[in-house]
Amino acid sequence: MRPTSSGLYCVPGDFFIDPHRPVERAIVTHGHSDHARPGHTHVLATPETVAIMRARLGPAAGGQLEALCVGERRSHLGVDIRLAPAGHVLGSAQVVLEWRGMRAVVTGDYKRHADPTAAPFELVRCHLLVTEATFGLPVFRHEPAAHEIGRLLRSLAANPDRAHLVGAYGLGKCQRLIALLREAGYDRTIWLHGASERMCELYEAFGLALGPLAGVTKAAGASFAGEIVLAPPGALADRWSRRLADPVTCFASGWMRVRGRARQRGVELPLVISDHADWPELVRTIAESEAEEVWVTHGREEALCHQASLMGLRARALALVGRGEEDGDGEGGAPGRAGGDDNAPVPPEPNP
């Protein structure tokens, strides 16, 4: 494989993985906008990712979208291809490639923390590991999500006269928060910004029950005092939020580990909930993969490369062309990286 101006390219298979420009053949790891770009002639992805791309991109999703279920295999020009769960969002997958006795794994975005809305991460041993590094600094250690949900519910109980407006990316984070709230026993209606409704419906179509939900626009005149409202981060400070009663502004993101980031965004209740691997998970995955060589992309490449070198491995920072030029604010967005949710209008700042 090699990095190119269009993205990561598999030479013997003549296809790209998560290309950021239209190509003839693409394998897409998941449906976030910085990975699932429009305009490819042929796309291979999990059935869930295919459905997400069709829902979000419409006819631009690709000329031919082919679903490959986890556990199935394809062979293309002698390269054996399979997809393994990445634990990031619904349908997210690692790409496992085998050619002439060598195995390479491209993780895409992933996490190893439990998530009721995504199949758990599968560790795949390989010769070459291409790993993300969104939170590739030792300071990033994510709290158990249940702990953060407990903080949200305690704040709700302590402030019955205020709405709790939670910034959550429309694909993945929103549905994960809903599922975590249900696990914690919260059975009341959860209110949604219109941009999040369609993805919730898609999750439910794949069998993930989310409980009672309703759109904010369907409750004209309501104050939402004592209620939980989920909205894309870009909606937290815009005119849309003024309809809520003195809202407690919350934001669910791995970047909320950085207090300055929370203050910068005016977040009253930061929730450290991420859909990406934290530093211990990144290091553990490199070690357990038994890879001889590690390529690092999507985030803090230098720090993780240095760590891999300390572990006696060959390491390379990919710095794929185009990635560093993107802005965004999604749970997937490291500084200078696209956020991962194009449903939300997002300011140009680093992403979780």
Side-chain angles (χ1 to χ4, degrees):
M1 288 195 295
R2 70 166 186 247
T4 74
S5 59
S6 295
L8 192 61
Y9 178 61
C10 175
V11 178
D14 189 24
F15 56 77
F16 292 82
I17 300 172
D18 290 347
H20 36 267
R21 295 176 180 170
V23 299
E24 182 69 20
R25 284 189 171 273
I27 300 177
V28 175
T29 60
H30 65 283
H32 280 147
S33 59
D34 53 335
H35 292 256
R37 300 296 181 94
H40 307 310
T41 303
H42 183 274
V43 171
L44 185 69
T46 63
E48 296 88 347
T49 296
V50 167
I52 290 167
M53 291 182 69
R54 284 183 170 141
R56 305 185 94 187
L57 300 174
Q64 180 183 356
L65 275 67
E66 180 183 2
L68 181 65
C69 294
V70 167
E72 291 184 337
R73 293 179 181 271
R74 287 282 189 282
S75 181
H76 183 71
L77 300 179
V79 178
D80 186 73
I81 305 166
R82 76 176 179 94
L83 303 177
H88 177 57
V89 298
L90 177 69
S92 59
Q94 307 170 79
V95 181
V96 182
L97 305 175
E98 295 191 48
W99 184 69
R100 295 184 178 178
M102 300 293 291
R103 180 183 296 157
V105 173
V106 182
T107 66
D109 292 344
Y110 77 96
K111 70 174 178 295
R112 301 183 68 167
H113 281 71
D115 179 347
T117 64
F121 175 86
E122 176 188 328
L123 177 70
V124 182
R125 292 180 173 80
C126 57
H127 300 91
L128 169 65
L129 179 70
V130 183
T131 178
E132 68 141 316
T134 301
F135 291 109
L137 287 174
V139 68
F140 291 112
R141 297 169 187 268
H142 300 151
E143 303 289 345
H147 175 269
E148 300 298 275
I149 292 296
R151 292 177 58 231
L152 172 60
L153 292 176
R154 287 193 293 276
S155 177
L156 191 69
N159 298 277
D161 298 329
R162 303 178 68 186
H164 276 61
L165 174 59
V166 185
Y169 299 99
L171 169 57
K173 186 62 65 59
C174 172
Q175 296 77 27
R176 185 183 179 199
L177 287 182
I178 294 169
L180 289 168
L181 284 164
R182 300 309 186 201
E183 284 186 347
Y186 188 82
D187 58 4
R188 297 174 58 183
T189 295
I190 295 174
W191 299 88
L192 301 175
H193 184 284
S196 302
E197 292 183 68
R198 185 176 49 170
M199 281 300 111
C200 288
E201 292 170 357
L202 190 146
Y203 268 63
E204 293 199 303
F206 277 96
L208 292 160
L210 299 175
L213 307 174
V216 168
T217 55
K218 297 175 183 173
S223 71
F224 300 100
E227 305 288 349
I228 294 176
V229 179
L230 302 184
L236 295 184
D238 72 12
R239 191 168 55 184
W240 177 89
S241 66
R242 296 177 191 167
R243 70 185 70 188
L244 307 181
D246 186 22
V248 176
T249 301
C250 319
F251 188 13
S253 165
W255 292 112
M256 291 298 98
R257 168 65 65 195
V258 183
R259 292 182 180 179
R261 189 81 62 198
R263 288 196 299 270
Q264 183 185 45
R265 300 198 61 136
V267 175
E268 187 173 349
L269 180 63
L271 304 170
V272 185
I273 300 177
S274 175
D275 285 334
H276 291 260
D278 61 7
W279 176 260
E281 286 183 319
L282 291 168
V283 175
R284 176 186 165 199
T285 301
I286 289 173
E288 293 182 349
S289 74
E290 300 179 359
E292 300 159 2
E293 184 165 353
V294 177
W295 294 0
V296 182
T297 184
H298 284 79
R300 300 289 188 173
E301 299 179 347
E302 295 79 8
L304 198 58
C305 282
H306 179 66
Q307 175 64 34
S309 298
L310 293 177
M311 297 163 69
L313 305 175
R314 296 191 300 274
R316 176 183 181 188
L318 287 190
L320 289 174
V321 175
R323 298 289 188 196
E325 300 168 354
E326 298 169 342
D327 63 0
D329 188 29
E331 163 68 16
R337 181 188 166 193
D341 184 357
D342 56 6
N343 273 342
V346 290
E349 79 168 42
N351 220 343

